[in-house]
Each structure stands twice: as C-alpha cells, then as structure tokens.
Amino acid sequence: MFKNVIVRVPSKTISEGLTSADEGKPIYSKALMQHENYVSALTKTGVNVTVLEPKDEFPDACFVEDVALCTSKCAIITRPGAMSRRKEAALPDMLEALENFYEHIEYIKEPGTIEAGDIMMVGDHFYIGLSERTNQAGADQMIQILESYGLSGQAVEMKEMLHLKTGLAYLENNNLLVAGEFKTAPEFEKFNKIEIDMDEAYGANCIWMNDYVIVPEGYPKVQEKIEALGYKVLVVDTSEFRKIDGGLSCLSLRF
C-alpha cells in the first residue's frame, strides 16, 4: 500500500517542455487545473500528498517521477538522460522532501544516466528499460544499489517507447497493462497481460494506488478493461501533459 506521494506544481514555462509529440504546446492555466484534479484523485486513494513549488527554470520539473526512485528501503536520486533535466535531480526542496521520509538516500553517478520513468516496480523487483534516457551504466548502478538493500532489478531492452512506463503499468495482483513492443517482450511472459491497442497506447500509463487505478481521460477501452478486472477507477485528464510527453505516472513519486 502507498502512504505518501510527492508532486510538483507545473511552472509557467511548461510550454517549453521537451516533446516528441506533435500536439501543440500545453496551456499553463489548463495544466494547472489538470494537476489540481490529479492531486485530488491521489488524495481519494488515502495517501498524504506533499506538494512542491513550481520551478520556472525547469519546464519539465512537474514530472517528478524521473528524478528519484522511491523504494521500501531507500530513495535513489537519478541522473536524467535529458541534459536540460539533469539539475532537477539536485533541487534542494526535492531532497528535503525525500529526507523527511527516508533515512537512506543514494545517488546515480556519471557516466550512468537513468530516469525513473524507465523503472517499473513489481514488489521488491524493478524492471529497468534501456532507452534514450537510461543507459546500461545507469541501469547497472541502479541494480547494484537495489541489491545492497536486499531488492533486485533487471534491464529490459527497448526500441520504440520514450520510457518503459510509457507502455507498461503494473496494477498489482500480477496484472500488467502492455502496449506496443512490450506485448511480446519475454520479460513479461509470466504476467496476466492486458493488451492495449496502439490507438489507446497513451492510456497504458495508469497508476495503481491502494486498490484504485487512476486512468487518463479519453481512453474508454483501457478504462473498460481495468474495470473488468474489478478495480475502482478514477479518471483524470492529462491532455496538457501529453503534449510534452508526460503521463499519469510521471507526475508523482509514490511510496
């Protein structure tokens, strides 16, 4: 069960965020409203939410998931692969927030790069996608740190998605949403795979929160499949964040 969540309010510069999507620039006022609704949905799942102030010098800083991995034993500060995001990982308020909850904080060091959007937690095991943002050195360091705390990890080759969790979401109870290249990935054979069609692939980025599943708005087939598994569903519009390659999981650290 999750007890705590850390989020960061989007900044006025959000329209300058990194993007590979061709959907126009996010509108700040809309992004702000969508973020408030997201926090409200998180609160409904019974967690305590820590809200950090916006950082105008970092347009992507609302995507807090990428800068730290929160495990049951320690927090690990990442080293983002995107150069413009590298200093986000060292922001003092994030470190302070993590220190409130964690006695042990570890760091990924050069030449490793890793963004936690590439890491999917399944119990005490962590799948780490090798992407344009996460390299082998980063994955190796992460696995070494995890193992030192009695946890485990493995690297997953990937070719198409921006981040591992762009096309995967673990919903506990062995249920795994899979889209695109992950439908046939051998690493995920043993899961009960719920396959998501490419036209709703963005909807595969859901989050399980204490028996609820938060689902992005506008993906009815995804929502239907999750409801059919018996989960309580909360729907949140993240369309402004989609414009800068962001999804539901990117917007929070959950532990």
Side-chain angles (χ1 to χ4, degrees):
M1 299 293 270
F2 292 107
K3 292 186 182 139
N4 298 295
V5 171
I6 298 173
V7 300
R8 187 185 293 284
V9 176
S11 66
K12 291 189 178 76
T13 56
I14 190 169
S15 62
E16 307 310 312
L18 297 170
T19 185
S20 61
D22 189 17
E23 300 191 19
K25 288 185 179 291
I27 297 159
Y28 170 62
S29 58
K30 267 192 178 176
L32 218 49
M33 195 164 65
Q34 289 181 3
H35 195 266
E36 280 173 19
N37 293 338
Y38 176 75
V39 171
S40 163
L42 288 167
T43 308
K44 280 181 193 154
T45 71
V47 291
N48 161 55
V49 183
T50 299
V51 181
L52 302 181
E53 294 296 307
K55 293 285 180 197
D56 288 348
E57 63 274 40
F58 298 109
D60 293 290
C62 57
F63 300 129
V64 288
E65 178 178 63
D66 288 321
V67 299
L69 179 69
C70 293
T71 78
S72 57
K73 309 280 177 72
C74 63
I76 302 154
I77 304 291
T78 66
R79 187 167 177 269
M83 281 303 289
S84 64
R85 302 198 60 193
R86 204 154 283 171
K87 287 182 179 162
E88 278 180 46
L91 286 170
D93 62 344
M94 173 58 80
L95 205 52
E96 202 178 304
L98 290 168
E99 282 169 349
N100 286 337
F101 299 104
Y102 284 100
E103 191 183 339
H104 302 290
I105 296 183
E106 306 285 345
Y107 293 83
I108 298 295
K109 298 179 175 68
E110 199 176 356
T113 65
I114 193 161
E115 295 183 4
D118 278 321
I119 306 176
M120 181 175 75
M121 177 176 78
V122 177
D124 285 340
H125 188 69
F126 295 79
Y127 292 91
I128 302 167
L130 299 175
S131 69
E132 282 184 18
R133 305 282 184 85
T134 295
N135 64 19
Q136 188 70 56
D140 290 346
Q141 280 184 49
M142 184 62 79
I143 292 166
Q144 205 176 352
I145 294 168
L146 290 168
E147 287 177 348
S148 72
Y149 284 92
L151 307 168
S152 59
Q154 74 185 88
V156 178
E157 294 283 344
M158 47 184 283
K159 297 180 178 70
E160 296 162 24
M161 303 279 187
L162 172 69
H163 281 134
L164 184 81
K165 282 192 293 207
T166 305
L168 285 174
Y170 183 57
L171 305 181
E172 303 299 314
N173 309 314
N174 207 44
N175 293 321
L176 184 68
L177 296 186
V178 288
E181 63 186 303
F182 302 123
K183 289 181 181 180
T184 52
E187 292 89 348
F188 307 117
E189 280 305 301
K190 66 175 199 260
F191 291 98
N192 172 35
K193 291 191 282 189
I194 296 96
E195 298 199 351
I196 305 301
D197 301 335
M198 276 322 283
D199 64 334
E200 286 204 4
Y202 177 85
N205 183 250
C206 298
I207 48 179
W208 179 92
M209 292 292 295
N210 304 341
D211 295 330
Y212 287 88
V213 177
I214 304 180
V215 180
E217 186 177 279
Y219 305 91
K221 288 187 279 187
V222 175
Q223 187 177 338
E224 206 174 298
K225 288 182 177 186
I226 294 170
E227 285 172 341
L229 292 167
Y231 294 105
K232 294 177 280 192
V233 166
L234 296 170
V235 179
V236 175
D237 185 1
T238 54
S239 53
E240 294 307 302
F241 301 99
R242 181 178 179 165
K243 294 174 182 176
I244 51 169
D245 297 339
L248 272 173
S249 72
C250 319
L251 288 164
S252 58
L253 286 170
R254 304 166 297 282
F255 52 97

